[in-house]
Amino acid sequence: MSHTAQTTDRPLRTLVLGGARSGKSAFAEQLVASEAVRYVATAVADPSDADFAERIAAHRARRPADWTIVEGDAVAALGESTPVTLVDDLGTWLTARLDARVAWESPRGTVAPDIDALVAAVAGYGQRLVLVSPEVGLGVIPATASGRLFRDEIGTLNQRLAQVCDEVFLVVAGQPVRVKPEGVFASALSDAAAMNSSAAPATSAKALDSAAERTAVQPVSAAAAAATVTGSAEGGAAADPGVGAVDSASGTAAVAASGPDTPVLTKPVRLSFGPVQGPDTAIRAAAEERQLQLTKPAGALGRLEKLGNWVAACQGVCPPKQFERARVVVFAGDHGVARHGVSAYPSEVTGQMVANFLHGGAAVNVLARLADASVRVEDIAVDSDTAPEISRHKVRRSSGSIDREDALSEAEVQAALAAGATIADEEIDSGADLLIAGDMGIGNTTPATVLIAAITDTEPVIAVGRGTGVDDAGWIRKTAAIRDAMWRARPVIKDPVALLRTAAGADFAAMAGFLARAAARRTPVILDGVVVTAAALVADQLAPGARAWWVAGHRSSEPSHTIALQRLDLEPLVDMGMRLGEGSGAVAALPLLRAAIATLGDMATFASAGVSTADADVEAAGA
């Protein structure tokens, strides 16, 4: 059968359904085997899971070498067209959305905005597209509320996608059966959809199963973000419905079989962020053109002009709007390595400073009030009890001492990443139009330096600074701890999540999730000093392209900060020898961004002010 034949002028969209190990992925790959394909993998490898790695290796082995592999969210990927795209699979995608919304115990329909966004992206996609999804009726479903929720939501998703796809295949035991012709919408599905949209009551159990469980189309929510949680092999080779029933407290996914005597097994799930599209290039060009019309010589405002253009591109409008809700989020956490003499202050100071933030007495509070920003503090891993309102996302009390043990367990690093992403969502959904990440944690420049030196392959003695002001003996202890932690991190240097788990801490993982999610939500961020920038290095690996949404607020006096800024290709706005953290350097730079917006938006143009341009003077002289 030709897969370019159409009954309409739309490119062909194909949905391939099948149970676990049915051969659905292999069949989908055969449909496009002779073409250059962008392969969107919704699952990410877990290096510690040998079976998981073998399944991914088997998938990769059968793919042509010229295929482009993209790991991340399907909705984000479909925002950029390529001639042929294969998305494999939607079971892990749905698992991610349920986890991101912490919806495993929520009513059916909580992820309806995410399903709407995916269906809309598929319906509007302008190129060849093949989607792979599990048909849960052919798999074992755990007899739990989470299992039933997954079954119901994937059923809704599959039915919605079948309506907008031109053809649908069901793969059973490796044998594909075409269940929908090209370009034809089955009347039964259309009738059921109409019944659902008009809220007609179901009159039988069969009608309830076929129609009333569907979710009506809702407006696409801005909260359909790019983070995904994956618990099966890349490409959905093991997208059983039980995978992804996430215990929010432990960060593990239940994988259960049927039967009263069957034990419930758990395995950590991996949170991954897909590639991030950059700010609007067309709007940036419009801003650059507007700069030429303002009453000043071209380029006379220096970097203020580039900053204004960047903000306009981030906002998608020219001239840009002044920030109305700039938010600083301070991520607080203690580190076990601080017990070994790497800091001039004891760990108790972290909890004491958290209380100071809450009372508005810290430097970042004072600077934020001056810059018209507000401050939020979150206890991610403080080694003491803190106020309930700031400890909702707490992962543990103090991260491990990274020179001799892992900072976190796999479940803890996933919980911290999810916490950061959730915090970003909360702020953006509440109206934040500019975000700043700050840090508070005695000893945190040690893991920051480990991350930066490991990622950039820098010798410890070059990267190590004085932190809170340690003496020579303290500097020697700190350098030795960083050296030992880098040695421990070496085996996982290519895996950003494993690197956070091994050599960072819960606060770093949360900041990385926060920065990656902010970029996915197209929200600009001012980076602070060495600690936040270390987390940003990892976030840019988790969400490639995220750095385009960041600007460096300042340059810290810590040597490793300059190394990290160079790797991110970011030039700091101010360089005042600051090394406090808290977000203070970023907040100090915020007035410069406000000035950049004001000059681009509020200055008069040559035409409106009646001021002659240089070109006009030349023309007058020639006349």
Side-chain angles (χ1 to χ4, degrees):
M1 181 183 95
S2 169
H3 294 289
T4 58
Q6 315 263 328
T7 57
T8 73
D9 59 357
R10 294 187 304 165
L12 191 65
R13 300 174 183 85
T14 302
L15 175 63
V16 178
L17 300 170
R21 313 301 292 169
S22 64
K24 61 184 183 295
S25 295
F27 171 72
E29 292 166 13
Q30 292 172 8
L31 291 178
V32 293
S34 62
E35 303 173 84
V37 175
R38 176 181 59 168
Y39 185 100
V40 180
T42 60
V44 179
D46 181 352
S48 66
D49 189 332
D51 177 69
F52 193 44
E54 288 176 4
R55 293 180 184 220
I56 291 177
H59 274 254
R60 289 172 175 166
R62 67 172 181 248
R63 293 184 208 136
D66 61 346
W67 283 17
T68 300
I69 311 301
V70 175
E71 292 184 345
D73 180 57
V75 176
L78 294 180
E80 180 178 357
S81 294
T82 58
V84 183
T85 297
L86 170 60
V87 179
D88 193 359
D89 86 10
L90 298 180
T92 50
W93 176 86
L94 178 61
T95 296
R97 303 317 312 141
L98 287 165
D99 188 77
R101 290 184 178 273
V102 195
W104 290 104
E105 296 180 1
S106 301
R108 191 172 62 237
T110 302
V111 294
D114 302 316
I115 291 176
D116 293 340
L118 179 60
V119 173
V122 170
Y125 194 69
Q127 301 288 345
R128 177 81 167 99
L129 176 62
V130 178
L131 306 165
V132 181
S133 188
E135 175 52 57
V136 295
L138 302 179
V140 177
I141 302 173
T144 63
S146 295
R148 292 190 296 272
L149 175 67
F150 184 93
R151 175 202 63 192
D152 295 342
E153 297 289 11
I154 196 69
T156 294
L157 175 63
N158 287 343
Q159 292 181 46
R160 296 272 304 279
L161 288 173
Q163 290 178 336
V164 300
C165 286
D166 301 292
E167 61 179 5
V168 180
F169 286 91
L170 177 64
V171 181
V172 181
Q175 304 302 309
V177 178
R178 186 158 162 260
V179 296
K180 178 180 177 181
E182 297 177 17
V184 176
F185 294 94
S187 60
L189 289 177
S190 299
D191 293 343
M195 181 171 66
N196 184 50
S197 63
S198 62
T203 58
S204 67
K206 182 177 181 180
L208 178 63
D209 287 340
S210 64
E213 290 187 358
R214 294 203 194 106
T215 303
V217 176
Q218 301 292 333
V220 176
S221 168
T228 63
V229 181
T230 54
S232 63
E234 179 180 353
D240 292 331
V243 175
V246 176
D247 182 332
S248 60
S250 66
T252 60
V255 185
S258 61
D261 298 325
T262 304
V264 176
L265 306 178
T266 61
K267 65 173 289 183
V269 295
R270 301 299 298 263
L271 182 68
S272 68
F273 302 82
V276 173
Q277 294 184 358
D280 193 318
T281 55
I283 295 297
R284 187 191 296 268
E288 291 170 350
E289 177 60 30
R290 178 175 171 80
Q291 294 281 9
L292 299 176
Q293 307 305 317
L294 301 179
T295 51
K296 59 177 178 57
L301 288 178
R303 287 191 65 195
L304 279 183
E305 297 186 16
K306 293 183 178 180
L307 280 176
N309 300 343
W310 175 74
V311 175
C314 290
Q315 294 181 352
V317 61
C318 180
K321 297 176 291 185
Q322 191 57 257
F323 297 122
E324 296 180 353
R325 193 170 189 269
R327 285 284 278 174
V328 184
V329 180
V330 180
F331 293 83
D334 279 308
H335 296 267
V337 73
R339 296 191 298 269
H340 305 293
V342 300
S343 175
Y345 291 86
S347 294
E348 292 77 21
V349 172
T350 302
Q352 295 164 359
M353 282 301 301
V354 166
N356 193 23
F357 293 135
L358 289 176
H359 290 96
V364 70
N365 300 107
V366 175
L367 292 171
R369 287 193 289 271
L370 187 64
D372 193 19
S374 54
V375 178
R376 169 182 178 178
V377 60
E378 285 291 340
D379 172 5
I380 305 297
V382 177
D383 195 17
S384 61
D385 293 331
T386 56
E389 65 269 21
I390 66 168
S391 56
R392 294 174 299 131
H393 298 288
K394 189 163 187 167
V395 174
R396 58 179 285 172
R397 291 173 67 115
S398 184
S399 299
S401 185
I402 58 174
D403 58 334
R404 61 201 69 192
E405 62 182 336
D406 284 355
L408 304 166
S409 69
E410 180 65 22
E412 287 168 342
V413 73
Q414 296 300 330
L417 282 166
T422 299
I423 291 168
D425 281 338
E426 291 172 352
E427 291 299 331
I428 296 167
D429 291 342
S430 297
D433 49 9
L434 176 73
L435 293 175
I436 293 172
D439 66 275
M440 181 61 228
I442 297 302
N444 63 8
T445 60
T446 296
T449 305
V450 171
L451 289 178
I452 294 169
I455 291 172
T456 62
D457 193 23
T458 301
E459 288 294 327
V461 293
I462 298 175
V464 179
R466 298 280 176 170
T468 51
V470 294
D471 57 17
D472 290 346
W475 183 88
I476 292 172
R477 290 191 296 269
K478 182 175 181 180
T479 302
I482 289 170
R483 177 203 61 205
D484 292 346
M486 288 178 64
W487 182 85
R488 296 187 66 259
R490 190 173 302 164
V492 296
I493 193 64
K494 300 299 183 182
D495 183 338
V497 176
L499 185 60
L500 290 168
R501 171 178 54 79
T502 304
D507 48 348
F508 283 84
M511 283 185 282
F514 177 84
L515 294 169
R517 178 60 63 86
R521 295 289 303 271
R522 305 182 69 82
T523 303
V525 173
I526 307 179
L527 298 182
D528 191 42
V530 64
V531 174
V532 173
T533 308
L537 277 177
V538 182
D540 194 56
Q541 294 181 342
L542 293 170
R547 70 177 70 180
W549 293 90
W550 308 331
V551 64
H554 80 119
R555 186 194 310 276
S556 167
S557 60
E558 287 287 303
S560 59
H561 191 211
T562 294
I563 297 169
L565 291 175
Q566 289 172 345
R567 174 57 65 95
L568 291 171
D569 195 25
L570 295 176
E571 183 180 355
L573 299 183
V574 298
D575 187 351
M576 302 181 68
M578 299 173 69
R579 54 179 174 85
L580 177 61
E582 302 180 3
S584 57
V587 178
L590 174 54
L592 289 176
L593 260 70
R594 293 195 181 279
I597 294 170
T599 53
L600 180 55
D602 299 342
M603 280 184 66
T605 64
F606 286 110
S608 66
V611 176
S612 299
T613 65
D615 291 341
D617 291 340
V618 171
E619 292 174 0

